[in-house]
Amino acid sequence: MTTPSIRYLGWLLGALTLSLLTGCASMRIVDSDVVSVVAAPAGMSLQGAKYRFERLPSQANNPEAGLAEQQAQAAMTAVGLVRDDANAQLSVLVGFAGTQYLADAWGRPLPPGAWSPYYGSISMGRGIGPNVGLGMGMRFPPPTQYRREVSLIMRDLKSGQVVYETRATHDGPWADSAQVFATLFQAAMANFPNPPAGLRRVNIEIPR
């Protein structure tokens, strides 16, 4: 292989590596812990069912409830459910919550008061003369983590029975709540209407 060919091959491999790294850097994975329970009676099909939203009294005047319902609706539409307030077969109650906390190096929440921006020490001793020392400095704050949870409870309007319940939670460093909540609703509706039993991990890749 000639020297120009070797140089071209090296340039091509470098460009490909940079492209892959750039693509990876522009995406992130939201890993959600999901639990879904099917309780529909025999003979009742949830696939393609029509629904309407219901709200708790505490949600009635909450502007965030409207956004959560929009995000939930997008996730439910993606799996074949149809919003039809006039001809609904199901009611859907949307739940959502979020908190933030300081975390240790392993991502575990720090207890209140466990961290201070300042550190110091005092030392005293005896020798030829008195020895007293005082040191004071600052530390970088530990990272902030965000815990978010969404839930969907579907109820048969004729019987009042809950026929499907699903929850998704995620802990991570991402501060953009709207995008993460939308992804959580997608995770909560994964495998609908026949989800696997028990806790499962659902990974969804989204832009940074």
Side-chain angles (χ1 to χ4, degrees):
M1 184 179 293
T2 64
T3 300
S5 297
I6 294 174
R7 289 177 179 173
Y8 175 75
L9 180 59
W11 175 87
L12 186 62
L13 290 174
L16 179 60
T17 301
L18 180 61
S19 176
L20 291 174
L21 290 175
T22 303
C24 293
S26 64
M27 302 298 290
R28 54 181 162 158
I29 292 179
V30 176
D31 50 342
S32 305
D33 292 324
V34 181
V35 176
S36 304
V37 179
V38 185
M44 180 180 184
S45 175
L46 297 177
Q47 187 67 54
K50 299 177 180 180
Y51 70 91
R52 71 184 186 212
F53 287 115
E54 66 170 299
R55 291 189 186 183
L56 297 173
S58 60
Q59 298 175 329
N61 298 316
N62 186 349
E64 294 181 349
L67 175 59
E69 288 175 353
Q70 292 176 20
Q71 295 173 334
Q73 181 173 334
M76 289 189 289
T77 299
V79 296
L81 291 169
V82 179
R83 182 172 180 180
D84 187 341
D85 292 4
N87 302 294
Q89 304 159 273
L90 307 174
S91 69
V92 179
L93 178 63
V94 178
F96 57 96
T99 59
Q100 68 182 59
Y101 56 89
L102 296 179
D104 63 16
W106 294 272
R108 298 173 301 193
L110 290 174
W115 178 84
S116 168
Y118 300 101
Y119 66 89
S121 62
I122 299 176
S123 61
M124 300 184 66
R126 297 181 62 183
I128 298 176
N131 180 20
V132 178
L134 173 63
M136 184 65 69
M138 293 189 66
R139 299 184 295 182
F140 291 106
T144 299
Q145 292 284 100
Y146 300 86
R147 178 176 178 81
R148 299 181 179 94
E149 177 179 350
V150 302
S151 64
L152 295 167
I153 299 176
M154 304 180 189
R155 192 182 303 272
D156 178 27
L157 287 171
K158 288 184 178 180
S159 66
Q161 176 183 344
V162 173
V163 294
Y164 197 88
E165 179 180 1
T166 182
R167 298 178 183 274
T169 60
H170 169 73
D171 285 78
W174 316 115
D176 52 337
S177 292
Q179 193 166 8
V180 175
F181 271 121
T183 307
L184 278 172
F185 281 115
Q186 295 176 41
M189 292 305 300
N191 306 112
F192 178 87
N194 300 303
L199 179 68
R200 66 190 190 277
R201 176 63 59 89
V202 177
N203 295 330
I204 299 178
E205 191 175 59
I206 64 173
R208 288 184 180 270

